[in-house]
Amino acid sequence: MTYFQYFDTVSYIYSYKYDTKTEFESNCAIAEDVLSYYHKLFDIYYEYEGVTNLCTINKNAGKEALTVDRELIVFLEYCKELYELTGGKMNPMLGSVLRIWHDARTLATENPSQAALPALSVLEEADRHTDFGLLEIDESKCTVRISDPAASIDVGAVAKGYAVEMAARALEEKGITSYVFNVGGNIRIIGTKPDGDGWVTGIKDPKNPDYSYSMYLKISDTACVTSGVYERFFTVNGNRYHHIIDPDTLMPADYFDSVTILTEHSGLADALSTALFCMSYADGKALIEAIPGVEAVWIFGDGSTEKSSGVTPFDYNNKK
Ligand code: ADP
Ligand code: MG
């Protein structure tokens, strides 16, 4: 197993195969190069030598178009598809609104006595700059521009999953199987265990995320991504405010305690977990059932659960 740190979370890769140490290390190095590349490309807080990343693009909002790596164009086009697929519930151009929540959370964490909610009027003003059309992607010129100086991009809802997908594919292209990526809870499994069996994972109990699980699943050849209330939050007057913002209310979405998505593409899983977290169970279920190869598990505030038609919980005690 190898540990590393990208996207602000502890992550690891491990293999079920009996690779030699050298093989394992060389495979991990390939994956880490990919993760590190996308980590830099998607960062909205820091710029890095030799790369035009989202931070640079945000700083340049309202100014000229910037030439970027082709990888970023491909990714942003994919974001557009996801935005449309989710009816705008996963909106990477929500940056101006997300920044206000981010600042409130930072202040509350550093200085709990000053913890306060952002004013709705401030959020509404920011929301006037969240139209996806403000992001101008020119495929042929390989350039990107944000046309409104007050708008900004934030791909936190999909970045980790997409980067993990790219890393997993780099290994798959080499014919590698039986590897597991866990990048801050973003799980992506390549193949099965060497004996052909699936891999058992647990969906955390949102009320007790460090110690217990609400459901177990046996999975292979898939991604498994959860968005939950317990991941990042701050507290004001005893109420918790987490980090997934419903674009329609501009407030933390409060339909569920968590939503888990299972599908092959870990970027799709990540985007859908955030999007479904921001829509009712009925809307989310209709969306999931309309996309082939996608399954979901919803956990409600009272601890009850729902699952889409293709999900079979694994019975840990009877090992079935
Ligand atoms: P995590 O990254 O913590 O596992 P998510 O995948 O659900 O959780 O992504 C949450 C992040 O996505 C937030 O920190 C924020 O940057 C961004 N975000 C929050 N709400 C939305 C939304 N409705 N649409 C797009 N991005 C969002
Ligand atoms: Mg997500």
Side-chain angles (χ1 to χ4, degrees):
M1 182 180 311
T2 183
Y3 284 94
F4 50 91
Q5 186 146 17
Y6 294 112
F7 299 102
D8 275 346
T9 51
V10 178
S11 310
Y12 49 90
I13 301 176
Y14 53 92
S15 165
Y16 271 99
K17 286 206 311 189
Y18 307 106
D19 284 359
T20 64
K21 192 164 180 277
T22 329
E23 274 170 337
F24 181 66
E25 282 174 359
S26 116
N27 290 336
C28 289
I30 293 170
E32 280 203 55
D33 278 350
V34 177
L35 290 170
S36 153
Y37 171 74
Y38 282 102
H39 174 76
K40 289 178 185 163
L41 201 58
F42 296 161
D43 200 323
I44 57 169
Y45 299 106
Y46 300 99
E47 295 182 281
Y48 303 88
E49 192 72 40
V51 56
T52 300
N53 70 359
L54 295 183
C55 182
T56 323
I57 289 165
N58 280 340
K59 278 190 179 170
N60 230 51
K63 300 182 196 146
E64 77 280 10
L66 297 173
T67 303
V68 297
D69 285 2
R70 178 62 57 190
E71 284 84 348
L72 190 58
I73 299 285
V74 172
F75 169 73
L76 293 176
E77 288 289 349
Y78 188 58
C79 283
K80 188 176 176 191
E81 271 176 48
L82 296 169
Y83 169 80
E84 285 161 5
L85 179 72
T86 62
K89 285 291 190 179
M90 198 293 292
N91 179 8
M93 287 304 289
L94 205 60
S96 52
V97 170
L98 295 175
R99 181 159 305 202
I100 293 168
W101 280 105
H102 182 268
D103 290 349
R105 191 167 70 244
T106 307
L107 180 70
T109 311
E110 284 167 3
N111 216 329
S113 64
Q114 285 183 33
L117 284 184
L120 190 58
S121 57
V122 174
L123 292 166
E124 281 170 350
E125 159 53 33
D127 192 39
R128 291 172 51 219
H129 311 277
T130 58
D131 199 295
F132 196 84
L134 297 171
L135 180 67
E136 299 174 355
I137 310 164
D138 190 325
E139 269 198 89
S140 58
K141 291 200 188 120
C142 210
T143 60
V144 178
R145 172 175 185 259
I146 293 172
S147 57
D148 174 349
S152 70
I153 188 162
D154 176 335
V155 298
V158 61
K160 249 188 298 172
Y162 188 89
V164 170
E165 183 63 26
M166 294 301 120
R169 287 184 184 189
L171 295 192
E172 282 170 345
E173 276 163 23
K174 292 191 68 205
I176 288 160
T177 60
S178 301
Y179 269 58
V180 176
F181 285 79
N182 186 341
V183 177
N186 231 280
I187 293 167
R188 167 69 156 80
I189 300 168
I190 305 180
T192 59
K193 287 193 198 169
D195 63 4
D197 203 6
W199 184 75
V200 177
T201 187
I203 299 178
K204 285 179 177 174
D205 172 358
K207 300 274 190 271
N208 202 359
D210 292 332
Y211 299 102
S212 63
Y213 294 100
S214 294
M215 189 185 289
Y216 293 97
L217 299 167
K218 193 181 240 189
I219 53 178
S220 49
D221 250 325
T222 192
C224 177
V225 180
T226 300
S227 285
V229 289
Y230 51 85
E231 281 166 15
R232 272 167 225 216
F233 60 85
F234 66 103
T235 308
V236 182
N237 298 331
N239 293 320
R240 265 163 53 152
Y241 295 90
H242 62 76
H243 69 314
I244 303 172
I245 305 302
D246 183 340
D248 292 323
T249 62
L250 309 179
M251 298 296 287
D254 69 352
Y255 292 101
F256 317 103
D257 273 3
S258 80
V259 177
T260 298
I261 302 289
L262 296 153
T263 195
E264 234 169 65
H265 191 307
S266 132
L268 177 63
D270 197 358
L272 286 177
S273 76
T274 308
L276 262 77
F277 195 84
C278 295
M279 57 180 92
S280 70
Y281 167 63
D283 287 351
K285 175 134 177 162
L287 179 60
I288 286 305
E289 303 288 359
I291 314 172
V294 181
E295 303 295 340
V297 176
W298 294 261
I299 302 183
F300 296 85
D302 66 0
S304 63
T305 62
E306 284 287 354
K307 51 193 174 46
S308 59
S309 52
V311 174
T312 313
F314 175 75
D315 184 346
Y316 212 82
N317 296 321
N318 290 314
K319 297 258 188 278
K320 271 192 295 210

